[in-house]
Amino acid sequence: MRNLKFLLCLAVATLAYGTDLNTASKNDLINLGLSKSQALNVIKYRKAHKFKSIDELEKVQGIGFNDMQKVKEKLSVKEKSKPNKPKQKKQIKDKKK
């Protein structure tokens, strides 16, 4: 029952925010309406160029304007926040004379 609630929450979140174009699996893209070859081309493209907007989908080989319009509302592009690098503490060495 707990797993069912989790999956339901995940499904609702996906519908509300869309599937992230930079992390979607081949099956996710196919379920959105792309063909298998289009989904593979999206994955190939994003390995070389991370998507910054959904409109970049038109740059993917095999995906035209109509294909993009079909899946556009179901997608999102989430920017990854840059991780904060921990500041290195300077080591102070005692100099003895």
Side-chain angles (χ1 to χ4, degrees):
M1 185 69 171
R2 183 176 261 180
N3 288 340
L4 182 61
K5 287 180 183 179
F6 174 75
L7 290 174
L8 183 59
C9 289
L10 186 62
V12 170
T14 301
L15 290 173
Y17 298 107
T19 302
D20 185 4
L21 199 50
N22 285 316
T23 60
S25 69
K26 177 183 77 170
N27 289 334
D28 291 338
L29 295 169
I30 290 171
N31 289 335
L32 292 175
L34 296 179
S35 70
K36 181 180 176 182
S37 63
Q38 289 172 324
L40 291 172
N41 286 341
V42 167
I43 292 169
K44 183 178 177 181
Y45 179 89
R46 79 173 177 220
K47 285 183 180 179
H49 316 89
K50 291 289 181 194
F51 287 96
K52 294 180 182 142
S53 75
I54 296 171
D55 295 328
E56 286 184 65
L57 194 57
E58 279 190 278
K59 295 180 181 179
V60 176
Q61 182 180 0
I63 297 182
F65 179 79
N66 290 334
D67 298 315
M68 191 183 87
Q69 294 303 314
K70 183 170 58 172
V71 296
K72 186 176 185 177
E73 298 300 320
K74 303 172 193 173
L75 293 169
S76 67
V77 176
K78 298 176 180 110
E79 292 185 30
K80 289 186 179 180
S81 59
K82 295 180 181 178
N84 294 334
K85 293 183 180 178
K87 294 182 180 179
Q88 293 181 352
K89 294 181 181 178
K90 293 182 181 179
Q91 292 180 351
I92 301 172
K93 295 181 180 179
D94 290 339
K95 292 184 179 180
K96 295 183 180 179
K97 293 184 180 180

